Amino acid sequence: MDKRELMKAFDVNVGGNFSMSVKFVSQPLRPVGQQLNLVNVSTAAIQTYRVPNQNPYSTSKAAFTALVGRIADEHPVEDVQIISFHPGVLYSESASASFDKNAINWDEMALPADYAVWAASPEASWLHGRFVWAHWDVDELKADKNILKRLEEEKGFLKVAIQGLPEVSLDGYFIKN
């Protein structure tokens, strides 16, 4: 991995997006009580021998998705609804350079746009701060008692974080009186 490429990817996908997001959620002229919606289109890009130089991109996208999840932790959904999502497996120009059109069950090109509209609706509020895939069946997720229980009980569930930790906490470092 080339450091210049890594830093360029982080400047764009973390630094630029962070600046925009902070300005967006702290708009000084926003009417009191007006909810904002921040929808982050991320990726679950997989490092593969067929797609060179993917690592800085996917690493920086994951870093921003984790960061926007922390922004969501700081803002109640009633103030700013924040949802990150993977747009789906789309047969694009770059995908066609590596994959045959008949090799994968591609998602419809309209899926990310349709999902983004839904993600900005009140119906999606239960996914505030989470990272999901656009092609997941929302009705199935909402009907799955185990998923709903995990969303309620595990702060880190469906968030980009260190796998295996239900949440990151410094509580163990503080002296309890």
Side-chain angles (χ1 to χ4, degrees), residues 90-92 95-107 109:
L90 306 171
Y91 191 69
S92 62
S96 70
S98 300
F99 301 100
D100 181 79
K101 188 169 186 170
N102 299 317
I104 295 175
N105 186 17
W106 303 97
D107 290 318
M109 285 302 244

Side-chain angles (χ1 to χ4, degrees), residues 126-127 136-154 157-158:
W126 60 284
L127 290 173
W136 288 351
D137 186 308
V138 174
D139 292 329
E140 283 183 23
L141 289 176
K142 286 171 59 176
D144 188 321
K145 302 264 189 253
N146 186 47
I147 296 284
L148 297 176
K149 181 179 179 187
R150 291 185 72 186
L151 284 168
E152 183 69 31
E153 294 176 358
E154 298 176 34
F157 184 62
L158 296 180

Side-chain angles (χ1 to χ4, degrees), residues 64-134:
F64 181 69
T65 300
L67 183 60
V68 81
R70 301 301 77 77
I71 295 170
D73 289 344
E74 296 174 359
H75 296 273
V77 69
E78 298 79 19
D79 181 38
V80 183
Q81 181 170 302
I82 300 174
I83 296 175
S84 295
F85 74 95
H86 182 281
V89 182
L90 306 171
Y91 191 69
S92 62
E93 185 177 338
S94 60
S96 70
S98 300
F99 301 100
D100 181 79
K101 188 169 186 170
N102 299 317
I104 295 175
N105 186 17
W106 303 97
D107 290 318
E108 295 292 325
M109 285 302 244
L111 178 65
D114 293 344
Y115 194 87
V117 169
W118 178 83
S121 75
E123 185 184 351
S125 65
W126 60 284
L127 290 173
H128 177 64
R130 310 300 175 155
F131 174 64
V132 295
W133 283 54

